[in-house]
Amino acid sequence: KSRASGSPKDTCRAIIKELKLSSDNVKVGVGRILYRAEEYRKLELDWSIKSRHTEIRKNIDRMVGKNPDGMSKEEKEIFCMELAGAVREADTFKISVPNLAQARKMLDRLIGERIPEHIKRKLRQGRDTMDKDILRDVLHVCENEGFFSTLVRDCMQLLEKIEDADSALAMAIKEMKEEYLEKALEMCDSFNYKAKAVDTARKLLQNIQKANKLIAKAMKSVDYDQLKKAVKFCESFNYQSAKAGA
């Protein structure tokens, strides 16, 4: 950020405002700034985070400037592990690094040389089939062996989506609520997930919507036979909410 213009006190006040420190706990005196322990901890944390971000950026810039092709096998192995750690840190902290894309490209090439072909096949199989058991098993191997390529990262993100979707589906099916089912199915459709539970949830949603329409129609017409038919349909898939409303 640009420096604040004016006196040193004005500069200090500008910094306090920029850091969003509480004016109740920070006082600008004649020759010093007084602040409480809470503000001190916040300043320490902010400084630690910013320093770490700067260190990560410099580390990646340094590493992408090297040429691993001229290294020995041992040197290349060490360099690959260090580069993987730097990229992983940048992803963990979610910071913007100008050379991150170049670092990933370099890392993918180096790791691609290290990952056995049968592991690559398993990763692609898990990705293409969206089989979470295959993904878990092969990602466990990758974690233990230090394999962290674009393909590995894509599989990690896919597994996270699958697990979130499975949890949403399980809850929606258990609760049998139209809103929950719609949101869970929307989540699945966003990455074209086609598990058995997706078909179950979609069929359940269709039945619930049909049941609600039958109940609403029967209640409006005050037709006992129609109401009996609607309740029987609800019972066919153990739908209690509509029956309670009827």
Side-chain angles (χ1 to χ4, degrees), residues 145-166:
E145 297 296 330
F147 301 150
F148 193 70
S149 65
T150 296
L151 178 57
V152 173
R153 185 171 57 254
D154 288 347
C155 287
M156 290 171 63
Q157 292 172 350
L158 177 59
L159 179 59
E160 184 177 349
K161 287 181 180 180
I162 291 172
E163 290 175 338
D164 288 345
D166 283 346

Side-chain angles (χ1 to χ4, degrees), residues 206-224:
Q206 292 171 352
N207 285 341
I208 288 174
Q209 290 171 337
K210 179 180 177 180
N212 289 337
K213 287 180 180 178
L214 289 173
I215 292 289
K217 183 178 179 181
M219 295 291 285
K220 185 177 181 179
S221 63
V222 197
D223 188 317
Y224 177 76

Side-chain angles (χ1 to χ4, degrees), residues 4 10 69 92 108 156 180 193 200 208 214 221 238-239:
D10 290 336
D69 293 335
T92 300
D108 281 342
M156 290 171 63
Y180 292 174
Y193 186 41
T200 300
I208 288 174
L214 289 173
S221 63
N238 197 32
Y239 184 42

